[in-house]
Amino acid sequence: MQEVQGEKTGKTKKERTPMPEQPAEERRKNFNEVTLGYTKEDALAEASRCLACKDPKCVEGCPVNVDIPGFIQLICEENFEGAIEKIKATNALPAICGRVCPQETQCEARCVLGKKSQPVAIGRLERFCADYELVKGVEAPEVMPPTGQKVAVVGSGPAGLTAAADLAKLGHKVTIFESLHRAGGVLSYGIPEFRLPKEIVRQEVEYIKKLGVDVKPNYIIGRIKTLDELCDDFDAVFLGTGAGLPNFMRIEGENLNGVYSANEFLTRVNLMKAYDPEYDTTVRHGKHVVVVGGGNVAMDAARSALRLGADEVSIVYRRGEDEMPARREEVEHAKEEGITFRLLTNPIRIHGDEKFNITGVECIKMELGEPDKSGRRSPVPVEGSGFLIPADVVIIAIGTSPNPIIFKGSEGLEQNRRGTVVADEETGATSKCGVFAGGDVVTGAATVISAMGAGKKAAKAIDAFLKEK
Amino acid sequence: MAYRILEKEEIAPSVHRMVIDAPDVAKAAKAGQFIILRIDERGERVPLTIADFEEEKGTVTVIFQEMGKTTKQLAKLSAGDSLEDLVGPLGTPADIRKLGTVILVGGGVGVAPIYPQAKAYTGAGNRVISIIGARNKDLLILEDDMEKASSELYIATDDGSKGHHGFVTDIMKRILDSGEKVARVVIIGPPIMMKVGAGVASPYDVEILVSLNSIMVDGTGMCGGCRVTVGGETKFTCVDGPEFDARKVDFVQLMNRLAMYRGEEAKAVEKYEEECRCGLH
Ligand SMILES: Cc1cc2nc3c(=O)[nH]c(=O)nc-3n(C[C@H](O)[C@H](O)[C@H](O)COP(=O)(O)OP(=O)(O)OC[C@H]3O[C@@H](n4cnc5c(N)ncnc54)[C@H](O)[C@@H]3O)c2cc1C
Ligand SMILES: Cc1cc2nc3c(=O)[nH]c(=O)nc-3n(C[C@H](O)[C@H](O)[C@H](O)COP(=O)(O)OP(=O)(O)OC[C@H]3O[C@@H](n4cnc5c(N)ncnc54)[C@H](O)[C@@H]3O)c2cc1C
Ligand code: SF4
Ligand code: SF4
Ligand code: FES
Ligand SMILES: [Mg+2]
């Protein structure tokens, strides 16, 4: 391992310990996890890089303020059980967060080591501890005596799972209602197996059941029961219904056969395992696939299409690489696997044949203009730069909004123009008494950890609300 | 969680009626809605209309035709077996009000979704003229039930083995021509029949509704796979429908989208039947 001189302290600082992973050539043909996880030696080496700062900036960067130097110190002492306990004090889903948090903009972005060299690999260490515990088997913690109060949690994504776990630990009787046949939200239907093995999600759900939470799949609020009826049956309600309604571009040819929303494509492939011939799910295995968008969802769709056997997969994104909202690691992995990036490019029309099948995507080149409200430079089309990308599958991954089905037949829940629920940032309280909300349904599409954080805050507020009731 | 099959019978060649224990769904169901079921862990999600529901017994009834792998596999199940998943009620309920005279047209298994509507329209105080049809008299379903649920019932068969020799739409046209004031026509059946029916009824001063059967996955508005063009706008059949104004539906697009997986579907049936022959199922 290469050693570099630490500047002020004069201490020798090693380089960041690399993550063992499947070689790109191999993994582009399978759905097994890409990153293999640190060995004990890797974890000890990486943990020893942490300076155990007195005023740890990394903790401020984490939305749930995991005691990072605290747990890393315990790793150094080879007390992995203590380390996972420390993480779990604030983060209920470390095996998931360690894998999917955008660390480069959160905890690791603030690590002091990052100024001069590379930050401590906090996410990888977190995952190491969590995986250590999963192998050992997770024991259900003690639950407080029953309060006799009932809470309904709608949606089983990270927000709902976290809120349910915390409320159950406090002795409340929690029921989760989930519209799909499997719990987990985006963790189950969206994020692919090769990035987040479904076995991990299953174990997290099992853990929550062990706490006494009743999980009801195939149960749509707004269809079987309205939100109002739920309010009558329960003492409080938490809405963690996410942002699952796919946006389309409204361009010509968008309803041709072979055009998918990323939600549909990923649901068919992940939740319904279309990649496994033993499953009945159908999906188009494209030879030339075009994915529109620059976020995690686009990367996941592109890499899934590649694994289904595509010869060529391109990401078409209207801004530049720096503007891509995807996790850095996913972009790097996608490149290694051979995904083509067509940046500053925007689709304007999808072409098809007489049988209604896609033949190609007509695109136009873009250039970056003045910064827009979000501070990002907004792209503007370059006149006369149109060109055609041959394609037989097109996947649209340009964002999602909250699914309005939950609001059917009930009243009094304030929403803003984008369809998100208006909720207090600290408590999750909505305009409807006894109804709290958090996660993507409040913020619009965001991150696992922010949804979890919102679930935690809401659980605390719901507990206080129930005590006053 | 398992959904038990309480009754199962073959009501016409390759057409089956199945009563399933699903109390939550039965309680909330309304005419015009459907469910999505999954037979087992490896199964696909298939939508079927709620052909009947009984709140007190906690049951929903579906009537399905053997089409491909999943419906053939479903047909092999019997009372006492269970389904892995069943979700519903899905879709916007049919807009049933007192309108006066309503013509309900059902073709093939399309009679199954017409039946709860006949009951509901009659219950709402309408005069219900029902027209049901099939290729031949053996394939005709729910004749007695439809008779009871309607003010008048007409039958058409393609081969003339029962009732009018010809199409259901011929009878519909005759009634519309008779000058009787009809407020609404509801046509449910294979897309081509709905397209033709909509064409025949279009010139008349009558509201025409069809219930679309786009390919679905979740049935909650989450995937967009069920999208159809209605009046130039993209709609999601599972939440905005399944009923739409027939005059505005792009039937050609619907039919093309329904053909999207024909190749894979044919292979799946072939594989399944081969396995059946080998005694694997
Ligand atoms: C493909 C993809 C990749 C992503 N990658 C990352 C990543 O790498 N890192 C990261 O931090 N974030 C990532 N995200 C974002 C992250 O997954 C979400 O921000 C997070 O899952 C939001 O959590 P949630 O609990 O609010 O909602 P969701 O996870 O969306 O869960 C909501 C659940 O509610 C259910 N539901 C909705 N309506 C109803 C109803 N009426 N009745 C009953 N149930 C209902 C839904 O079926 C769903 O299961 C990704 C998202 C996608 C789609
Ligand atoms: C709202 C709705 C209500 C329906 N109600 C009934 C009903 O009451 N009785 C009945 O017999 N059929 C009904 N259908 C059609 C039924 O879902 C299909 O026949 C069934 O999915 C075929 O599955 P398969 O595997 O047996 O055949 P396949 O060989 O897989 O498919 C045969 C044809 O059915 C269509 N189809 C395939 N998969 C789906 C899917 N996931 N969703 C919708 N269509 C699909 C395609 O056009 C395909 O070519 C309904 C469909 C919808 C959308
Ligand atoms: S939860 Fe996410 S942001 Fe917080 S420390 Fe862990 S990986 Fe970093
Ligand atoms: S900022 Fe970096 S070095 Fe300091 S405690 Fe956090 S992880 Fe360790
Ligand atoms: S079936 Fe997925 S949106 Fe309609
Ligand atoms: Mg099928």
Side-chain angles (χ1 to χ4, degrees):
Chain A
M1 190 158 297
Q2 202 185 335
E3 309 245 318
V4 291
Q5 274 315 103
E7 281 201 22
K8 276 210 183 86
T9 57
K11 265 210 282 190
T12 0
K13 276 279 150 263
K14 298 184 214 77
E15 278 215 338
R16 195 167 149 111
T17 314
M19 180 60 127
E21 49 192 43
Q22 279 197 73
E25 258 323 296
E26 244 167 65
R27 70 183 193 237
R28 66 201 293 274
K29 296 185 211 110
N30 68 53
F31 275 82
N32 301 335
E33 196 171 11
V34 168
T35 54
L36 305 172
Y38 273 170
T39 60
K40 184 174 140 191
E41 290 67 38
D42 290 335
L44 291 173
E46 185 60 21
S48 73
R49 294 180 64 228
C50 173
L51 305 174
C53 306
K54 286 255 152 46
D55 175 22
K57 294 287 174 226
C58 53
V59 177
E60 286 168 26
C62 168
V64 296
N65 306 123
V66 166
D67 178 358
I68 296 164
F71 93 77
I72 294 184
Q73 191 51 44
L74 289 164
I75 295 182
C76 292
E77 295 164 16
E78 297 196 31
N79 179 356
F80 306 132
E81 265 150 67
I84 187 67
E85 205 174 303
K86 183 136 271 169
I87 298 169
K88 279 201 161 173
T90 51
N91 176 354
L93 306 170
I96 295 167
C97 291
R99 286 174 166 81
V100 306
C101 267
Q103 287 94 5
E104 72 275 13
T105 61
Q106 298 183 345
C107 52
E108 294 176 17
R110 310 283 280 274
C111 171
V112 289
L113 289 189
K115 284 195 191 126
K116 293 279 187 292
S117 72
Q118 291 165 302
V120 174
I122 302 168
R124 294 171 183 176
L125 289 173
E126 188 170 305
R127 166 179 168 180
F128 169 78
C129 298
D131 287 358
Y132 173 86
E133 193 196 27
L134 286 179
V135 171
K136 245 184 61 235
V138 184
E139 270 168 46
E142 282 200 21
V143 170
M144 305 231 300
T147 59
Q149 274 167 315
K150 295 192 298 177
V151 184
V153 169
V154 191
S156 62
L161 290 177
T162 311
D166 282 11
L167 287 161
K169 283 184 210 157
L170 292 164
H172 305 301
K173 181 69 202 136
V174 183
T175 309
I176 298 185
F177 298 97
E178 167 56 50
S179 60
L180 288 171
H181 59 255
R182 176 138 311 130
V186 168
L187 309 177
S188 283
Y189 77 74
I191 306 182
E193 178 76 21
F194 58 81
R195 210 149 69 75
L196 178 63
K198 298 309 136 203
E199 177 56 21
I200 290 174
V201 183
R202 194 191 64 78
Q203 292 204 32
E204 294 297 354
V205 174
E206 281 311 309
Y207 169 81
I208 275 154
K209 287 186 185 163
K210 273 194 212 155
L211 294 173
V213 174
D214 190 10
V215 182
K216 285 194 188 298
N218 298 322
Y219 206 113
I220 306 169
I221 303 305
R223 289 284 190 222
I224 291 191
K225 277 197 174 136
T226 63
L227 180 56
D228 288 345
E229 287 170 306
L230 216 54
C231 290
D232 292 339
D233 297 350
F234 290 85
D235 298 299
V237 178
F238 175 75
L239 296 183
T241 47
L245 185 79
N247 297 337
F248 284 91
M249 286 183 298
R250 297 165 191 269
I251 58 173
E252 200 183 319
E254 219 170 5
N255 292 345
L256 287 167
N257 285 347
V259 184
Y260 290 100
S261 74
N263 265 6
E264 178 180 2
F265 185 75
L266 290 170
T267 299
R268 285 179 181 273
V269 177
N270 295 321
L271 181 71
M272 317 233 358
K273 300 216 181 342
Y275 63 85
D276 183 341
E278 293 296 312
Y279 280 69
D280 292 337
T281 316
T282 47
V283 75
R284 272 215 178 167
H285 295 236
K287 282 286 154 218
H288 300 277
V289 180
V290 169
V291 180
V292 184
N296 286 320
V297 186
M299 301 303 139
D300 285 345
R303 297 169 71 200
S304 296
L306 187 75
R307 283 158 172 77
L308 289 179
D311 292 334
E312 161 130 54
V313 181
S314 337
I315 297 244
V316 167
Y317 182 54
R318 64 198 181 111
R319 300 177 198 250
E321 180 159 348
D322 292 341
E323 285 82 19
M324 286 203 299
R327 289 178 83 219
R328 211 59 242 156
E329 185 180 62
E330 309 314 330
V331 177
E332 293 311 322
H333 280 156
K335 282 187 184 164
E336 289 165 17
E337 288 165 13
I339 308 276
T340 310
F341 283 74
R342 298 175 187 266
L343 304 169
L344 290 168
T345 304
N346 207 30
I348 49 173
R349 190 147 72 105
I350 302 170
H351 294 252
D353 61 18
E354 69 292 342
K355 285 191 158 159
F356 220 68
N357 292 314
I358 304 170
T359 51
V361 185
E362 189 179 331
C363 295
I364 190 161
K365 286 289 199 185
M366 308 292 275
E367 58 192 3
L368 289 181
E370 293 304 307
D372 64 8
K373 271 175 276 154
S374 71
R376 294 195 296 184
R377 292 173 63 197
S378 50
V380 284
V382 179
E383 285 300 321
S385 65
F387 69 105
L388 193 77
I389 309 175
D392 50 4
V393 164
V394 174
I395 304 168
I396 316 283
I398 56 163
T400 51
S401 4
N403 188 333
I405 207 164
I406 177 77
F407 311 116
K408 283 227 152 61
S410 72
E411 275 163 30
L413 197 65
E414 196 188 330
Q415 288 167 260
N416 69 22
R417 272 179 300 114
R418 286 157 50 234
T420 51
V421 170
V422 177
D424 184 280
E425 212 177 301
E426 277 315 302
T427 64
T430 68
S431 58
K432 211 171 157 76
C433 180
V435 178
F436 297 74
D440 283 5
V441 71
V442 171
T443 54
T447 60
V448 171
I449 188 73
S450 57
M452 255 195 54
K456 260 199 135 40
K457 282 181 183 169
K460 213 170 130 200
I462 290 172
D463 184 53
F465 169 81
L466 292 174
K467 284 202 174 101
E468 256 172 47
K469 208 170 165 171
Chain B
M1 185 141 345
Y3 302 81
R4 257 169 72 85
I5 300 166
L6 303 175
E7 288 172 39
K8 152 79 198 311
E9 101 185 270
E10 186 161 5
I11 56 173
S14 297
V15 179
H16 307 261
R17 176 176 159 275
M18 196 176 252
V19 180
I20 306 160
D21 182 40
D24 291 330
V25 182
K27 199 165 167 207
K30 296 211 167 60
Q33 290 188 298
F34 61 96
I35 53 111
I36 287 184
L37 62 78
R38 213 165 63 115
I39 299 176
D40 54 35
E41 171 52 30
R42 290 171 180 177
E44 58 182 347
R45 295 171 61 106
V46 296
L48 295 172
T49 306
I50 299 174
D52 207 353
F53 52 94
E54 286 189 63
E55 190 180 336
E56 316 80 60
K57 290 192 189 154
T59 59
V60 297
T61 302
V62 291
I63 292 175
F64 62 91
Q65 181 167 35
E66 291 181 40
M67 292 287 293
K69 156 89 199 315
T70 304
T71 45
K72 281 183 195 298
Q73 192 186 347
L74 197 60
K76 284 215 158 64
L77 301 181
S78 28
D81 291 337
S82 289
L83 303 171
E84 180 90 11
D85 295 295
L86 184 146
V87 62
L90 301 166
T92 304
D95 157 50
I96 290 170
R97 293 173 279 135
K98 182 162 181 180
L99 296 161
T101 298
V102 178
I103 300 182
L104 303 181
V105 185
V109 270
V111 180
I114 279 289
Y115 172 58
Q117 299 220 10
K119 284 207 288 188
Y121 275 110
T122 300
N126 294 286
R127 190 171 115 75
V128 174
I129 305 175
S130 299
I131 311 164
I132 62 174
R135 284 209 313 281
N136 59 53
K137 74 172 190 323
D138 294 334
L139 289 170
L140 201 65
I141 59 169
L142 298 177
E143 189 185 333
D144 295 345
D145 295 301
M146 284 302 293
E147 177 86 59
K148 267 184 242 148
S150 324
S151 315
E152 273 173 50
L153 178 71
Y154 295 90
I155 290 167
T157 49
D158 294 2
D159 68 351
S161 51
K162 182 149 198 180
H164 169 73
H165 186 164
F167 300 123
V168 277
T169 45
D170 304 339
I171 305 176
M172 176 186 75
K173 185 169 187 314
R174 212 164 62 209
I175 300 169
L176 291 171
D177 281 334
S178 76
E180 170 159 8
K181 175 105 191 67
V182 176
R184 180 184 282 179
V185 178
V186 183
I187 311 171
I188 310 182
I192 185 67
M193 172 211 150
M194 295 194 279
K195 179 174 190 282
V196 169
V200 172
S202 270
Y204 300 88
D205 175 25
V206 64
E207 192 185 357
I208 318 164
L209 298 180
V210 284
S211 181
L212 305 185
N213 57 345
S214 330
I215 293 181
M216 297 187 177
V217 182
D218 58 297
T220 65
M222 179 270 243
C223 76
C226 63
R227 59 199 190 278
V228 285
T229 302
V230 181
E233 271 180 65
T234 294
K235 299 277 180 196
F236 289 3
T237 305
C238 71
V239 284
D240 301 322
E243 272 189 19
F244 292 102
D245 178 347
R247 288 188 177 89
K248 295 187 178 158
V249 172
D250 182 344
F251 284 103
V252 173
Q253 186 184 74
L254 174 74
M255 287 188 275
N256 275 313
R257 286 187 68 79
L258 280 166
M260 178 151 171
Y261 299 106
R262 286 280 147 86
E264 276 188 68
E265 286 158 358
K267 278 194 211 128
V269 176
E270 217 173 282
K271 180 166 166 252
Y272 179 69
E273 292 192 326
E274 178 61 30
E275 286 168 0
C276 286
R277 269 194 296 277
C278 300
L280 287 172
H281 297 288

